[in-house]
Amino acid sequence: AVDMQPHPPPPAQNASLPMQHGATRAPGSFFQDAPRIGNQWQADVFLRQVCARILKLPHESLAAIDADLNRFGERVASDILDMSDDATEHPPSLRQYDNWGRRIDEIDTSLGWRSLHNVSAQEGLVAIAYERRYGAMSRVYWAAKVLLFAPSSGLYSCPLAMTDGAARVLELSDDSIAPARALHRLTSRQVTEFWTSGQWMTERAGGSDVSAATDTSASPTTDPHQVAEGWTHLLTGVKWFSSATTCNMALALAREEGARKLSLFYVELRDDSGRLKNIEVLRLKNKLGTRQLPTAELRLCGTPARKLSGSDGGVKAISSMLNITRMWNVLSAVASSRRAVQLAKDMATRRWAFGKMVMEQPLHCETLARLELEVRGQTAMAFELARLLGRSEVGEATATDRMLLRLMTPVAKLYTGKHAVWISSEAIEAVGGQGYIEDSGMPTILRDAQVLPIWEGTTNVMSLDVLRAIGSSNGTAIATLVSECTQILQEADEARLGTELKFISQALGQISEFAACGLRDPNTREICARDFAFGLARCWIGVLLVEHATHTTQPADQVLVKRWCEQPLVTVAAERSEGRHSENQLILGAGSRQPVPDRYRGYGPSFRTKL
């Protein structure tokens, strides 16, 4: 196997050094060096080790993947990073009317954003997973490339996530027209052929309870030209969050007349002349972060669409898309955390305080080590999911693989998304005041990270999805997870990690005990869902770090396991949840269930002149 070791690093640039004792310099002559990122494949030793461990491929295949990731690792620190910066500095804008009052709804994007589209096609950031040149391992290779790309993507990772998900839906669809029209475009490496896709689910009532919140209607079309082109319905309604509105197609949920549930529809946004097909862009969203991304409110005014699912089967049909987009969310979260920590670590080698390089200050070093530990643990979890996803897509997954993929995808999504915000904030603090300044680039990382625990399901929504996964398996999902984890622990080096192996085993016992008792009571189950899901994540990461240390036998990897086990892995307990809902209402106060009277204005910038 190829040992994916670092390539020779480029010559280091001179760092700004402090004055030596007794030296003098002119006032104002010192300038602090900015943190830098280098080749991102070379820089991430743990990532290379994880890929070397998981990728079970011939020598020549491993060498080809290593060469491609090394080349790409250089690009994401150079020209692709420049494209990302341009997309950040020049966010999209909406032009609704032309000079003569015609409705045009044109969204202008930066050159950087458009260039990232080209890069995405040429680098196969969707195509790799569907070419399947390396079988099930293609998803692991894909995951490594996405991890390198995401923090330098200018948020182009968002349309790519939906494109990947849409491709999977069409690949699984038995429809006779839509896959033939779009699948080859979604997975193309040709710039002029490559399409991106949107995902239209959220409406004004919110995104979690999709079925109840969807007002968009679908009525059969009677237009012979539309029928001849393959369209079956016309969609009417408002989609409240349409990310990447510059995409070529979308998958949309809508309700047919008289239907209790939703159906899934395929939409192409523009006709051959580039005009929107009975779609109005009401406005672009003014968001906390992800400002590079053109997110819009859309009104569908009889938009031609093709039905993909059976009646009432829309949510089930789109679930394969959600599995993919949640995987992108996991990788984007880990990548965001990795970038933030890299910058904080590099800054600590360039800055001096109290007579020492900051990296040599014990407390600062301890803080960075804790962040590094989290990123490495999450990397191990993300790539195990990618391995399971790859096996599932090529038909090699066992029943155990499928059960773990279903259970641990929402677990990984909620854990990595939540921690991305914390890690980004800690990294800014580690850099100091300059990290708080926009020009440092670090506030963008923090703002963009905040979407990760929200998009594709908040932390609470994901926690409840974990319960659904357990329920749909009749409880066997937890037994399967514990069994798989126990087997890994039994194969580990007890002489070096005996204390940690026992600690993780005890935590798995707590998981089993709670699953057997606490999950039976509906009130306890829901109240504890969040803590339980985080416990699952911490236990699984602990086991995966043990597996990694067993493979590498490196002292540093054994230290990772030791440090991981210094924290409580499971904090949930059924007995602490009795009567908790009533206590929560008591804490929140008697008036917490009543809204503030309407005589007070809605919070946020007011459009009325008051002063």
Side-chain angles (χ1 to χ4, degrees), residues 282-405:
L282 301 181
R283 62 172 173 170
L284 294 182
K285 295 290 192 181
N286 184 13
K287 299 165 291 181
L288 167 68
T290 67
R291 297 174 183 174
Q292 313 93 317
L293 178 68
T295 305
E297 297 169 22
L298 302 181
R299 177 179 285 123
L300 311 182
C301 311
T303 304
R306 180 170 182 82
K307 185 178 175 182
L308 292 181
S309 70
S311 296
D312 296 351
V315 174
K316 182 179 180 180
I318 207 171
S319 62
S320 56
M321 183 178 199
L322 298 179
N323 290 336
I324 298 292
T325 53
R326 286 173 181 173
M327 187 68 217
W328 275 83
N329 202 97
V330 169
L331 291 169
S332 296
V334 177
S336 173
S337 297
R338 164 55 67 206
R339 176 64 55 84
V341 173
Q342 281 180 334
L343 289 168
K345 286 165 58 179
D346 189 68
M347 187 65 179
T349 66
R350 297 175 183 276
R351 188 178 178 193
W352 291 64
F354 307 108
K356 289 183 180 180
M357 182 189 295
V358 171
M359 183 61 86
E360 296 175 352
Q361 298 285 356
L363 182 55
H364 195 84
C365 186
E366 169 74 14
T367 301
L368 294 180
R370 290 182 181 181
L371 300 180
E372 180 70 26
L373 173 63
E374 269 294 345
V375 173
R376 293 192 181 198
Q378 292 172 37
T379 300
M381 178 166 60
F383 276 79
E384 178 62 13
L385 272 184
R387 186 187 73 84
L388 294 172
L389 178 61
R391 288 177 60 82
S392 173
E393 290 180 334
V394 301
E396 296 178 3
T398 64
T400 294
D401 291 337
R402 290 190 295 271
M403 196 169 291
L404 290 179
L405 182 63

Side-chain angles (χ1 to χ4, degrees), residues 94-99 101-107 274-276 279 281:
L94 171 62
R95 186 183 177 208
Q96 290 183 302
Y97 300 94
D98 70 9
N99 294 343
R102 295 182 184 87
R103 186 78 185 245
I104 55 174
D105 287 341
E106 290 183 353
I107 297 175
R275 295 180 63 85
L276 290 169
I279 300 170
V281 182

Side-chain angles (χ1 to χ4, degrees), residues 302-553:
T303 304
R306 180 170 182 82
K307 185 178 175 182
L308 292 181
S309 70
S311 296
D312 296 351
V315 174
K316 182 179 180 180
I318 207 171
S319 62
S320 56
M321 183 178 199
L322 298 179
N323 290 336
I324 298 292
T325 53
R326 286 173 181 173
M327 187 68 217
W328 275 83
N329 202 97
V330 169
L331 291 169
S332 296
V334 177
S336 173
S337 297
R338 164 55 67 206
R339 176 64 55 84
V341 173
Q342 281 180 334
L343 289 168
K345 286 165 58 179
D346 189 68
M347 187 65 179
T349 66
R350 297 175 183 276
R351 188 178 178 193
W352 291 64
F354 307 108
K356 289 183 180 180
M357 182 189 295
V358 171
M359 183 61 86
E360 296 175 352
Q361 298 285 356
L363 182 55
H364 195 84
C365 186
E366 169 74 14
T367 301
L368 294 180
R370 290 182 181 181
L371 300 180
E372 180 70 26
L373 173 63
E374 269 294 345
V375 173
R376 293 192 181 198
Q378 292 172 37
T379 300
M381 178 166 60
F383 276 79
E384 178 62 13
L385 272 184
R387 186 187 73 84
L388 294 172
L389 178 61
R391 288 177 60 82
S392 173
E393 290 180 334
V394 301
E396 296 178 3
T398 64
T400 294
D401 291 337
R402 290 190 295 271
M403 196 169 291
L404 290 179
L405 182 63
R406 171 65 185 94
L407 174 65
M408 300 311 290
T409 296
V411 168
K413 192 276 177 188
L414 70 88
Y415 188 89
T416 58
K418 199 69 175 174
H419 279 77
V421 180
W422 168 66
I423 291 173
S424 299
S425 177
E426 283 281 354
I428 287 177
E429 186 177 344
V431 170
Q434 191 61 22
Y436 188 70
I437 303 301
E438 282 292 337
D439 292 348
S440 72
M442 299 199 72
T444 299
I445 298 176
L446 177 58
R447 279 198 304 269
D448 290 349
Q450 186 60 69
V451 78
L452 296 167
I454 299 174
W455 188 59
E456 298 301 50
T458 63
T459 305
N460 284 355
V461 169
M462 289 294 94
S463 300
L464 296 177
D465 192 45
V466 171
L467 298 186
R468 283 192 292 274
I470 295 170
S472 64
S473 72
N474 294 318
T476 58
I478 293 299
T480 299
L481 174 67
V482 171
S483 175
E484 287 294 299
C485 290
T486 301
Q487 182 176 344
I488 292 172
L489 296 179
Q490 290 173 346
E491 296 171 357
D493 187 348
E494 189 172 358
R496 289 187 173 89
L497 297 172
T499 301
E500 289 74 26
L501 298 179
K502 182 178 179 180
F503 182 77
I504 298 173
S505 295
Q506 290 173 343
L508 290 171
Q510 291 176 271
I511 290 290
S512 297
E513 181 181 352
F514 184 82
C517 302
L519 295 184
R520 292 180 179 178
D521 179 6
N523 291 327
T524 298
R525 181 170 64 240
E526 185 165 334
I527 286 174
C528 294
R530 187 175 174 128
D531 289 340
F532 182 67
F534 275 92
L536 287 175
R538 286 189 290 266
C539 285
W540 202 39
I541 289 173
V543 171
L544 294 174
L545 289 177
V546 167
E547 183 179 41
H548 187 76
T550 301
H551 176 84
T552 67
T553 68

Side-chain angles (χ1 to χ4, degrees), residues 49-93:
Q49 289 178 342
V50 167
C51 289
R53 173 172 59 84
I54 294 179
L55 287 170
K56 309 297 185 184
L57 294 170
H59 176 88
E60 58 273 17
S61 297
L62 289 173
I65 290 173
D66 178 51
D68 183 58
L69 293 175
N70 182 61
R71 177 194 57 79
F72 192 60
E74 189 70 26
R75 288 199 71 188
V76 297
S78 52
D79 65 310
I80 292 176
L81 185 60
D82 291 339
M83 298 173 198
S84 175
D85 288 346
D86 184 68
T88 300
E89 289 297 316
H90 303 96
S93 61

Side-chain angles (χ1 to χ4, degrees), residues 46 49 376 545 548-549 552-561:
F46 189 79
Q49 289 178 342
R376 293 192 181 198
L545 289 177
H548 187 76
T552 67
T553 68
Q554 295 295 318
D557 294 320
Q558 294 166 12
V559 170
L560 291 177
V561 176

